[in-house]
Amino acid sequence: MKSLIRSLALCSLLGIAGNAFAADKVCKLEIAGTDQMQFDKKELAVAADCTQVELTLKHTGKLPAQAMGHNWVLSKASDMAGVAADGIGAGFASNHLKKDDPRVIAHTKIVGGGQSDTITFPTSKLTKGEAYSFYCTFPGHSALMKGAFKFN
Ligand SMILES: [Cu+2]
């Protein structure tokens, strides 16, 4: 009985240590936008044991942000159309996103050719197995610039 208690205590100690390590797991993602109004990826995935996501959006084209700007926006798939529609009226200076839009889980700023932006967000904002989409809210772009984001 004593040894059982001892091994249970050891297990819980290891459990705590394991959680401490897991708390620091930053998973990195990269995606590029082009002058042809495309992302280079149709799907991004993050494993459920990642606690933070560090995402870098790079614009590999040459066109300026006002002409062919791209951002990277994450929301539930079902919120994409509404977020993109409201982003049109929000204007360029607001990264074509409605101010403090609660549907937006994470987003970069709009970048132009040769520029990049890196953001970090916690996966505590995500639910395992939920259908998420990423897209660009520059007017007209989300029809082509979109993909699935998986957390599982
Ligand atoms: Cu775009």
Side-chain angles (χ1 to χ4, degrees):
M1 189 60 196
K2 242 180 188 169
S3 72
L4 176 64
I5 291 167
R6 203 177 300 134
S7 57
L8 283 173
L10 185 61
C11 281
S12 63
L13 273 175
L14 287 172
I16 290 162
N19 286 341
F21 283 116
D24 286 334
K25 185 158 184 192
V26 180
C27 297
K28 295 185 180 187
L29 296 173
E30 280 189 19
I31 188 163
T34 69
D35 280 347
Q36 286 72 45
M37 207 200 293
Q38 301 273 357
F39 280 131
D40 68 340
K41 291 179 178 130
K42 291 283 174 207
E43 187 181 310
L44 292 170
V46 171
D49 65 342
C50 301
T51 56
Q52 300 278 332
V53 178
E54 184 186 304
L55 177 128
T56 298
L57 167 67
K58 191 175 181 189
H59 194 314
T60 53
K62 290 191 166 69
L63 293 170
Q66 285 80 1
M68 185 52 73
H70 304 309
N71 61 3
W72 184 91
V73 179
L74 179 67
S75 74
K76 284 183 182 176
S78 56
D79 287 335
M80 179 175 80
V83 171
D86 288 344
I88 295 170
F92 181 83
S94 302
N95 290 303
H96 282 295
L97 286 170
K98 189 173 124 185
K99 194 176 188 301
D100 301 325
D101 191 330
R103 297 167 296 185
V104 172
I105 297 163
H107 72 88
T108 69
K109 63 183 182 183
I110 291 178
V111 295
Q115 298 174 326
S116 68
D117 189 27
T118 299
I119 56 165
T120 302
F121 59 94
T123 58
S124 57
K125 292 181 167 186
L126 304 170
T127 304
K128 207 172 156 181
E130 172 74 55
Y132 295 102
S133 291
F134 67 83
Y135 44 94
C136 171
T137 60
F138 194 96
H141 288 201
S142 66
L144 283 173
M145 299 186 74
K146 63 183 175 188
F149 184 94
K150 295 189 172 163
F151 178 64
N152 47 31

